[in-house]
Amino acid sequence: MEIKINLNGKDICRNIEPDMLLIDFVRSLGCVSVKRGCDTSNCGLCTVFVDEQPVLSCSVLAVRANGHKVVTLEGLQEEASEFAAFIADQGAEQCGFCNPGFMMNTIALLKENPHPSDEEILAYLAGNLCRCSGYEGQLRGIKAYLSFQEQKGKVGN
């Protein structure tokens, strides 16, 4: 079965098996930030954007992305690199395995809500499993990043 998607700004056309998951498809194209963690849609490690909405790619058939725009962390390097430094500064990247999912969901949150409260941040990130931290480092990193963005005038007033 042939599918056509735009992956990180590049048009892709491939023949795939009908039961191929989106996670396997994007990883086969070199998007290794998309991680396999639970295969039950509970950990957030496989988060990608499909038409700018966060989607758990381990629970979506690749064919469902046919004709759509798919973005992984590889396609958001400019946006994510600055944010990653704030997460690392708070010691929230201990093993780093969960970071791509956290970053994808934080980017989605900030597009949706540029001034989230602590409770809103934690609620939005509740679907991201991190076994190394208690999520406090991620929360501090996100808050520091928001403060930095406000100082730069990049977050809506």
Side-chain angles (χ1 to χ4, degrees):
M1 149 179 296
E2 183 180 272
I3 67 168
K4 296 177 183 179
I5 68 168
N6 181 286
L7 179 63
N8 297 327
K10 183 178 177 184
D11 290 329
I12 304 287
C13 181
R14 293 284 190 281
N15 283 312
I16 63 165
E17 294 297 320
D19 62 348
M20 182 178 222
L21 293 172
L22 185 55
I23 186 174
D24 297 320
F25 182 68
V26 297
R27 284 187 62 82
S28 75
L29 295 169
C31 298
V32 294
S33 71
V34 184
K35 308 269 176 63
R36 175 171 267 109
C38 66
D39 283 328
T40 60
S41 304
N42 286 308
C43 71
L45 298 176
C46 66
T47 303
V48 300
F49 293 161
V50 176
D51 296 334
E52 299 190 28
Q53 296 298 311
V55 170
L56 297 171
S57 63
C58 75
S59 62
V60 175
L61 292 173
V63 71
R64 299 281 304 212
N66 188 34
H68 294 275
K69 179 181 174 186
V70 177
V71 178
T72 68
L73 196 56
E74 286 85 358
L76 295 171
Q77 286 304 297
E78 186 176 318
E79 209 169 337
S81 62
E82 195 172 61
F83 173 59
F86 285 88
I87 294 296
D89 186 54
Q90 296 300 321
E93 84 300 340
Q94 292 177 24
C95 82
F97 196 68
C98 67
N99 278 2
F102 266 111
M103 293 175 71
M104 294 294 289
N105 281 300
T106 300
I107 290 168
L109 164 66
L110 298 179
K111 286 181 180 182
E112 205 174 288
N113 181 359
H115 300 286
S117 67
D118 290 4
E119 294 78 24
E120 290 169 323
I121 294 169
L122 291 172
Y124 208 92
L125 300 179
N128 289 271
L129 179 64
C130 177
R131 293 194 168 128
C132 296
S133 76
Y135 301 96
E136 288 301 313
Q138 285 91 347
L139 178 61
R140 287 191 310 269
I142 292 167
K143 289 172 62 174
Y145 176 72
L146 286 171
S147 177
F148 177 74
Q149 292 296 351
E150 287 175 4
Q151 289 173 2
K152 286 175 47 176
K154 287 192 172 184
V155 175
N157 296 319

